[in-house]
Amino acid sequence: MKFLDIAEVVVASGLPASTLRYYEEQRLIASVGRHGLRRQYEPEVLNRLALINMARAAGFLLSDVAEIFGRNREIAIPREELRARADALDQKAQEIKALAAMMRHVADCPAPSHLECPTFQKLLRVGTKHQSRMRRQKQRKGAPLSGK
């Protein structure tokens, strides 16, 4: 089997060598040995790195990723948590779209003052209600889905 040199993994993954070494310290990836001073990896490491990157982009912590990988190198994907995070991302996307629409209205509003614009006034009320709702949800939930 042909192993990948750390430099090849850096190029293929887009991650710096320091990140690879850190992930190795955290036991998220493992080198199979060294060739001279350079670490060597199985080609499968690229899939693991891609999964780590996707999990991080979805808001998982490295400790969450370690749990997903498990101890015996079997991947145990927490489907319910993924569904919950996907729902949260959908909600965030809707909020961002609404914010973009509000910003376009504010930029294009013909009213002499934004405070005189009824649409702007409505947007302010909706924004205030949304912030209050978000604070209440955070207080009810307490901690995020995962600790740390």
Side-chain angles (χ1 to χ4, degrees), residues 27-42:
R27 300 181 190 265
L28 297 172
I29 63 172
S31 63
V32 293
R34 293 179 182 263
H35 185 266
L37 295 176
R38 299 170 79 91
R39 295 170 196 231
Q40 301 287 299
Y41 297 92
E42 292 178 353

Side-chain angles (χ1 to χ4, degrees), residues 12-64:
S13 69
L15 296 170
S18 59
T19 298
L20 298 178
R21 289 188 294 270
Y22 180 73
Y23 286 173
E24 199 168 335
E25 287 173 17
Q26 300 302 309
R27 300 181 190 265
L28 297 172
I29 63 172
S31 63
V32 293
R34 293 179 182 263
H35 185 266
L37 295 176
R38 299 170 79 91
R39 295 170 196 231
Q40 301 287 299
Y41 297 92
E42 292 178 353
E44 183 267 341
V45 76
L46 297 175
N47 290 334
R48 289 179 75 88
L49 292 170
L51 185 57
I52 292 168
N53 287 339
M54 286 184 354
R56 299 284 291 151
F60 284 87
L61 302 171
L62 288 179
S63 59
D64 299 329

Side-chain angles (χ1 to χ4, degrees), residues 34-99:
R34 293 179 182 263
H35 185 266
L37 295 176
R38 299 170 79 91
R39 295 170 196 231
Q40 301 287 299
Y41 297 92
E42 292 178 353
E44 183 267 341
V45 76
L46 297 175
N47 290 334
R48 289 179 75 88
L49 292 170
L51 185 57
I52 292 168
N53 287 339
M54 286 184 354
R56 299 284 291 151
F60 284 87
L61 302 171
L62 288 179
S63 59
D64 299 329
V65 175
E67 289 178 26
I68 290 170
F69 285 158
R71 292 196 173 115
N72 59 359
R73 297 183 67 146
E74 291 291 321
I75 295 175
I77 296 175
R79 295 175 190 271
E80 289 304 314
E81 188 168 355
L82 287 178
R83 284 186 190 94
R85 288 180 187 246
D87 291 345
L89 287 172
D90 285 339
Q91 178 65 35
K92 189 68 170 171
Q94 289 175 350
E95 292 170 8
I96 289 170
K97 283 183 179 182
L99 179 60

